[in-house]
């Protein structure tokens, strides 16, 4: 096991280097690479990534390429089949061929470093010993496949289109639109007005639950949006709003938690420039960070860059489908999937002019996926150029031109200025809005190219001196609907705006404190509703205790907060009670259907306010009676559960797991996982934390003052469980203790030298 630990000291000759490169680490394992050229630096970065995190890199490329079953067996076969349909392997090769010569050389140099780093280990990383496999070498196309992994993580419109497609097949469109709002009562924007009208209430003539035959589903049909782990926060304060007179940027991307952490911290110095911050093992450069002149951060832009196309198959020949010109043959590609422990599996992938066939709708019609991520002409890696920019305008121009998964890119520069732009290829649609699957057969519906650049959302030097983004709708509704119909409710965004408005000036630790804020205003409405439903003290003791707890709740997700778990569960149960009867027919028609709309709470409180009797479960006498019964049933269940209890503090129930991918297997879990400890925060708090996801890092930096910058990250630098740096950054992240962004005093030095032969 120890033979596969990374090389930290000494001198090592590496083929391909033009000059010596110094790789130093501080006491936390934070790496600094000093090279005389960018070419040598990128090669050395690949070397370090492979030495510390090769298995993580391997999983990312295998996930994207549909090759996990080759490592872990049949349990990953279904996922591999889905990924093979996308053809990411072929897309990566086509993208590689389209890169500019300088970009191709960058990936080639990084790849050479990765393979040198893997070869320099005295044994294979420990995961391969457990799996009894040999690691496969790296390729330049694998770097692009790691990019596809992130595209998949950050893109989810397809799954919501499937959900809407099932509802469209089973319910009137007026009810579907009521159940899938893209506006909320608490919306807050940074450009223009947030005001917008919600979809009208469907009339009883359109849909009347009292005349429906409701079959109680055997499973829950409404899933909590928190489970998806979507989110990220970022904000910037200009010179006039900071104590130092410098612009400061804060960013905490929220991703699935696990070991090792998704980011690897580095400072890179190539003589002509430097950059530091978060790097991604498998990809060269700094993804989020600062170069002394500009600092940049990301939040998911929620842009819809995927559409499901209903394919109209010819009735006489199933090998043909309808296109605007007439009929066209499906393309076919055979894929062989290696599976550990059994024979390979062969599948046939069908393709249309719009993209691969990825499944069928509830009516049995093929669905093709049109996605910017599957088209080399609408997807690129130009964002890596961010670390070379020296001004706000330059950095925003690079961000605007990036054709990856659309991100809100916030930038601060060393002159005290701040700006925001929405990146990515944004499709311009004709004839439809992208919310639901539609046929493109007659040519009336299609993509006409990219949204005109003059309509790309951006903002420079706002008069307020403030910018913020938390996956919410940032622009007026008319502009927003050209981008997406899916936004995260603005609870986090509104809280950021409130806290930034409380003080005239901020420093780095002030902004870190905002990242650690635990206010969860989303549950105020559920508290108020529960109390309003019980104007008099109930007879049942458990109900009296429960109401007292939520009445005294401090509005936060702190370790000692009581009542929060009651309100979260009340929200889940009430969403199910109110919405499941409306979508029950969807669950009957499609065994995989789940209603999971981000703004489901807007539907709940509209129903409670509007009280449409034709949308009420006929088994209930009123909306209030249904809500009251839901709350009472929940409380009585919890009161009888020794693991919950109506007076349990949040910390007793909130212990997220930081697990290695192999950490579910005893006895490996004892070595590979970190101890579960109580953590404050919630999916709806700025300190975002659920059992599945959280802040993958917390960065606060003023470009030009990196010595004061903060960067906290869970876990540790190394992916090797025998390393001293496997989990040594975790305590600072758990405690919210400022961890310096810059590497500290050098404790180890490795010199990489050109090969003598």
């Amino acid at each position: 096991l120890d033979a596969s630990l990374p090389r930290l000291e000494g001198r090592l000759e590496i083929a391909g280097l033009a000059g010596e490169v110094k790789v130093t680490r501080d006491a936390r394992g934070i790496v600094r690479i000093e090279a005389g050229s960018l070419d040598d630096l990128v090669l050395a970065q690949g070397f370090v990534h492979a030495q510390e995190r090769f298995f993580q890199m391997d999983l990312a490329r295998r996930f994207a390429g549909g090759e996990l079953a080759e490592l872990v067996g049949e349990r990953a076969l279904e996922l591999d089949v889905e990924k093979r349909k996308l053809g990411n392997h072929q897309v990566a090769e086509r993208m590689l061929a389209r890169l500019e010569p300088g970009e191709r050389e960058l990936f080639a140099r990084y790849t050479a470093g990765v393979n040198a780093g893997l070869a320099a280990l005295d044994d294979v990383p420990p995961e391969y010993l457990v799996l009894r496999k040999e690691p496969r070498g790296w390729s330049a196309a694998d770097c692009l496949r790691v990019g596809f992994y992130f595209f998949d993580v950050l893109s989810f419109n397809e799954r919501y289109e499937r959900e809407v497609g099932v509802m469209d097949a089973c319910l009137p469109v007026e009810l579907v639109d009521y159940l899938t709002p893209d506006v909320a009562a608490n919306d807050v924007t940074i450009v223009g007005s947030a005001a917008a009208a919600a979809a009208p209430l469907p009339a009883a003539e359109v849909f009347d639950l009292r005349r429906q035959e409701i079959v109680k589903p055997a499973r829950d049909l409404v899933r909590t949006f928190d489970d998806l782990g979507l989110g990220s926060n970022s904000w910037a304060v200009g010179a006039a709003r900071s104590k130092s007179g410098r612009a400061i940027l804060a960013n905490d991307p929220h991703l699935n938690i696990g070991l090792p952490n998704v980011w690897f911290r580095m400072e890179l110095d190539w003589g002509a420039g430097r950059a530091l911050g978060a790097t991604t093992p498998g990809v060269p450069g700094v993804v989020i960070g600062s170069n002394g002149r500009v600092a940049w951060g990301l939040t998911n832009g929620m842009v819809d860059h995927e559409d499901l196309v209903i394919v109209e198959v010819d009735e006489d020949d199933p090998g043909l489908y309808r296109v605007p010109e007439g009929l066209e043959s499906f393309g076919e590609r055979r894929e062989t999937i290696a599976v550990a422990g059994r024979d390979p599996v062969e599948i046939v992938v069908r393709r249309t002019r719009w993209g691969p066939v990825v499944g069928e709708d509830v009516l049995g019609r093929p669905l093709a996926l049109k996605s910017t991520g599957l088209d080399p002409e609408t997807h690129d890696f130009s964002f890596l150029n961010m670390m070379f920019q020296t001004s706000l305008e330059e950095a925003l121009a690079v961000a605007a031109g990036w054709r990856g998964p659309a991100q809100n890119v916030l930038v601060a520069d060393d002159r005290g200025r701040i700006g925001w732009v929405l990146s990515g290829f944004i499709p311009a649609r004709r004839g439809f809005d992208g919310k639901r699957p539609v046929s493109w057969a007659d040519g009336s519906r299609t993509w006409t190219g990219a949204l005109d650049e003059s309509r790309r959302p951006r903002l420079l030097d706002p008069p307020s001196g403030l910018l913020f983004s938390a996956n919410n709708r940032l622009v007026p509704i008319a502009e927003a609907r050209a981008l997406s119909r899916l936004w995260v409710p603005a609870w986090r965004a509104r809280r950021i705006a409130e806290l930034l408005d409380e003080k005239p000036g901020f420093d780095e630790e002030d902004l870190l404190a905002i990242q650690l804020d635990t206010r969860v205003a989303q549950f105020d409405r559920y508290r108020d509703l529960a109390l309003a439903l019980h104007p008099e003290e109930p007879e049942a003791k458990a109900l009296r205790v429960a109401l007292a707890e939520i009445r005294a709740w401090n509005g936060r997700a702190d370790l000692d907060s009581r009542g929060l778990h009651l309100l979260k569960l009340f929200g889940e149960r009430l969403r199910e009670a109110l919405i499941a009867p409306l979508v029950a027919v969807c669950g009957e028609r499609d065994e995989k259907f789940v209603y999971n709309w981000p703004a489901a709470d807007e539907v709940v409180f509209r129903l409670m306010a509007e009280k449409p009797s034709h949308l009420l479960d006929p088994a209930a006498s009123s909306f209030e009676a249904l809500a009251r019964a839901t709350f009472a049933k929940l409380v009585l269940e919890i009161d009888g559960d020794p693991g919950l209890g109506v007076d349990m503090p949040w910390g007793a129930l909130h212990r997220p797991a930081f697990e290695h991918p192999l950490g579910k297997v005893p006895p490996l879990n004892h070595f590979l996982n970190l101890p579960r400890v109580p953590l404050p925060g919630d999916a709806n708090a700025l300190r975002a934390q659920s059992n599945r996801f959280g802040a993958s890092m917390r960065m606060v930096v003023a470009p030009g003052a990196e010595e004061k910058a903060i960067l906290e990250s869970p876990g540790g630098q190394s992916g090797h469980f025998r390393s001293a740096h496997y989990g040594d950054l975790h305590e600072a992240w758990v405690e919210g203790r400022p961890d310096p962004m810059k590497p500290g005093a050098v404790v180890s030095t490795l010199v990489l030298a050109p090969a003598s032969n």
Side-chain angles (χ1 to χ4, degrees), residues 486-615:
L486 190 74
W487 308 98
V488 172
W491 299 107
R492 287 182 287 111
R494 184 165 288 278
R495 182 61 175 164
I496 294 169
E498 289 174 359
L499 293 174
L500 291 178
D501 199 43
E502 286 184 357
K503 297 173 66 173
F506 299 87
D507 61 19
E508 286 82 351
E509 294 200 17
D510 293 330
L511 297 188
L512 174 63
I514 295 177
Q515 291 177 332
L516 299 170
D517 181 78
T518 59
R519 177 78 170 99
V520 276
Q522 176 187 8
F523 299 107
D524 290 358
R525 293 192 292 183
Y526 284 104
R527 175 201 58 205
D528 295 345
L529 174 61
L531 295 176
L533 292 170
H534 298 87
E536 299 178 359
E537 283 288 291
E539 293 183 7
K541 179 182 177 182
L543 279 173
R544 292 200 304 273
V545 174
L547 290 169
E549 291 290 356
I550 65 174
R551 189 179 293 113
W553 174 53
N554 64 2
R556 297 181 173 274
D558 295 332
L559 295 181
D560 59 353
S561 293
R562 298 177 186 274
L564 176 57
H565 73 295
L566 279 171
L567 295 172
K568 283 185 71 73
L569 289 172
F570 180 41
E572 292 175 15
R573 300 286 182 90
L574 189 57
R575 284 191 287 271
E576 183 74 29
L578 291 174
I579 298 174
L582 299 172
V583 298
V585 63
C586 303
E588 285 185 74
R589 295 280 296 275
D590 185 345
E591 63 182 15
K592 294 184 178 180
F593 173 81
V594 175
Y595 174 87
N596 191 30
W597 198 254
D601 284 340
E602 295 302 306
V603 179
V604 166
F605 284 96
R606 280 195 69 182
L607 288 170
M608 292 301 302
E610 295 169 342
K611 299 179 177 55
S613 57
H614 58 289
L615 299 184

Side-chain angles (χ1 to χ4, degrees), residues 349-420:
V349 178
R350 289 194 300 170
R351 184 171 183 85
T352 70
R353 62 166 57 182
W354 305 298
V357 174
V358 293
E360 293 184 343
D361 69 5
V362 71
L363 300 178
R365 299 173 297 187
L367 294 172
L369 178 64
K370 176 71 171 177
S371 170
T372 62
L374 300 180
D375 186 346
E377 295 186 8
T378 58
H379 189 185
D380 66 27
F381 283 77
S382 61
F383 192 76
L384 298 176
N385 292 320
M386 283 293 288
M387 67 179 190
F388 307 128
Q389 308 313 307
T390 60
S391 72
L392 182 70
E393 284 83 2
E394 289 176 0
L396 292 175
V398 168
W402 175 38
R403 298 296 183 256
Q407 300 289 291
N408 291 300
V409 184
L410 270 66
V411 178
D413 74 7
D414 61 347
R415 289 176 289 177
R417 301 176 63 202
I418 58 175
W420 157 73

Side-chain angles (χ1 to χ4, degrees), residues 311 592 641 646 708:
V311 183
K592 294 184 178 180
D641 186 337
V646 295
K708 297 180 180 179

